[in-house]
Amino acid sequence: MQGAEVFEAALAHLGGVEARWIRYEDEAGIGDSVRQALEEVDAVFFAGPMPLDRCRHLLPEGMPVGVARLGPIDLALALLRAREQGLPLVPASVDTFEEQVAEEFARELGLPPRATRVLPYGPDQEVEEIVAFHLEARRRHGTHYAVTGRSRVYSRLMAELDVPVLRSVPVVASIRSAMNEVVLRAVSARHSNLRFATAVYRLLEESGLYEAGVERVNTLRMFFDAPAFAEAWVEARGDQSVLVFAHKGLLEEITRSWTSVPLLEEVRARLGVRMAVGFGVGESARDSVRHAEMAVRRAMEEGGDTGFLMTEGGLVIGPMGQAEEEEPLRYAFKTDEAGLRELARRAGLGVTTLSRLVGLERRLLGAAASAEEIGQALKVSAPSGRRIMRLLRESGLAAPVGMAQPNKRGRPKTLYRLDIVGKLDTP
């Protein structure tokens, strides 16, 4: 089976799933197709890392995302097909696979380790670059066949290369396993969104009795009139605060996944007062209110004009502000910050740096990144980024998962996957 048939076969074994297939004629159109589908789906599964990289910036934070990746078994099947056709196994040219995978197979089969020319996957690779790699490998090394993981490259090589071209697609079992994981996360997220959530908006200005009453009435009117809170319960409380009670999904949506505070700037502009805002999520209504009150106290300590979230697990996220053109990295703390401080001490990093890395890990959605890319996200120098990655790796908070070659002449870069959130949530 090739292409879409493999993914359809994998999905056929997953019950209770309604699929919407996103097809595109050209890679440039992937983003538009995915953007339209995001409004109607609970999770997204990509046929490979390339379409994921093309529209990673479009994916809402927290949406379950999966991707089919080529692994050792897929390369083994490609080599088996080459042998079945009577082709010498080396030399050959391979794209998309990691170089160490090809080298391991060569050692197992007793082949020269460098006889297979490999172009690892890179997020900025264009079809022309990959085609040129295979043509050059044929010209310089006399390759007997080519293996590609890209459908457009396969079509081009079939027309331009004078040796067999083998299309490599992940096997059904691997795709089904990855799909199943995404579906389970989507179901979990849907149930999570139905949990109780509370927001507490507290006025901070010291006002006289009359002025305070007017401010409270005007603030309450703003919340009742706000379309975003049409499905929420809104009430005024005696401590110059407004309580908004809703399900988690509603508050998560209007705060843009807990990154901005609705009505904060409007209250400041119209009433001339500052507010501190706390959001709380819990298994019960009482827990969500209690968490929101703890979060608003944290916002008050910051001087107001900001908000914090306290989750059901005791994790406090903030500070939140007004939406910016580029989503900022979020800070994350345990209630007493003990867990975060202990991890920072073990890694030899500052608490603030590790907090920002937690935010970066959530934004990456499980994707790998190089030390340089992580340094750029943290806005530190390249040497500092490499030092941070070394400390994370040595303390078990990051692990190498592969290599990437940004260009043909540059040195390959090691890719790492962050694993801080899991350690932070472990008692």
Side-chain angles (χ1 to χ4, degrees), residues 298 308-309 314-319 329-335 337 339-341 351-352 354-359 362 420-421 424-425:
R298 184 60 181 271
F308 282 81
L309 161 72
L315 188 69
V316 177
I317 299 174
L329 292 175
R330 296 184 297 164
Y331 293 75
F333 306 93
K334 284 289 187 183
T335 306
E337 301 184 20
L340 191 74
R341 290 186 182 280
V351 174
T352 300
L354 197 62
S355 299
R356 300 181 71 209
L357 283 164
V358 169
R362 292 195 177 97
I420 306 171
V421 175
L424 191 62
D425 293 338

Side-chain angles (χ1 to χ4, degrees), residues 89-93 102-103 106 111-118 137 141-144:
L89 292 183
V90 291
S93 58
E103 291 180 357
L111 302 172
R114 298 287 180 178
T116 300
R117 316 308 299 179
V118 181
H141 304 285
T143 53
H144 297 294

Side-chain angles (χ1 to χ4, degrees), residues 141-387:
H141 304 285
T143 53
H144 297 294
Y145 61 95
V147 179
T148 180
R150 299 276 289 270
S151 56
R152 288 191 63 202
V153 173
Y154 176 78
S155 300
R156 288 280 303 277
L157 291 178
M158 288 292 289
E160 300 181 30
L161 199 60
D162 61 347
V163 293
V165 182
L166 306 179
R167 175 85 165 93
S168 187
V169 178
V171 297
V172 172
S174 299
I175 297 174
R176 185 186 303 136
S177 176
M179 280 185 172
N180 189 56
E181 179 185 351
V182 173
V183 170
L184 289 176
R185 284 194 279 128
V187 172
S188 176
R190 179 177 291 181
H191 287 302
S192 176
N193 283 340
L194 297 178
R195 291 182 178 177
F196 297 99
T198 300
V200 174
Y201 289 74
R202 181 167 296 169
L203 297 173
L204 296 183
E205 257 62 14
E206 294 291 337
S207 304
L209 182 62
Y210 172 77
E211 290 81 1
V214 172
E215 290 169 358
R216 190 159 58 248
V217 169
N218 288 337
T219 304
L220 185 61
R221 182 178 298 133
M222 289 176 59
F223 280 84
F224 274 123
D225 293 342
F229 295 112
E231 300 179 11
W233 174 268
V234 180
E235 68 174 29
R237 306 204 307 177
D239 56 355
Q240 291 196 183
S241 69
V242 175
L243 182 144
V244 178
F245 185 72
H247 57 82
K248 178 185 175 184
L250 174 63
L251 290 185
E252 188 169 26
E253 178 181 355
I254 65 177
T255 59
R256 301 184 182 183
S257 298
W258 313 115
T259 59
S260 61
V261 184
L263 296 184
L264 189 66
E265 184 63 28
E266 188 173 353
V267 168
R268 177 82 169 186
R270 289 176 55 179
L271 305 181
V273 295
R274 292 182 303 114
M275 299 190 76
V277 187
F279 298 94
V281 179
E283 297 288 349
S284 66
R286 177 174 296 181
D287 284 344
S288 71
V289 174
R290 180 169 58 87
H291 291 168
E293 290 173 340
M294 296 175 70
V296 79
R297 285 197 291 272
R298 184 60 181 271
M300 293 171 68
E301 293 173 1
E302 296 287 329
D305 284 338
T306 189
F308 282 81
L309 161 72
M310 183 173 181
T311 70
E312 55 269 60
L315 188 69
V316 177
I317 299 174
M320 308 177 198
Q322 294 303 302
E324 301 178 5
E325 291 185 2
E326 181 178 354
E327 180 183 338
L329 292 175
R330 296 184 297 164
Y331 293 75
F333 306 93
K334 284 289 187 183
T335 306
D336 60 358
E337 301 184 20
L340 191 74
R341 290 186 182 280
E342 175 60 22
L343 281 182
R345 184 192 64 78
R346 282 170 42 197
L349 294 168
V351 174
T352 300
T353 299
L354 197 62
S355 299
R356 300 181 71 209
L357 283 164
V358 169
L360 177 60
E361 180 180 348
R362 292 195 177 97
R363 289 174 60 186
L364 287 173
L365 299 171
S370 67
E372 290 77 8
E373 291 169 334
I374 290 175
Q376 290 173 5
L378 297 178
K379 301 188 185 309
V380 300
S381 65
S384 295
R386 290 191 290 271
R387 182 187 66 84

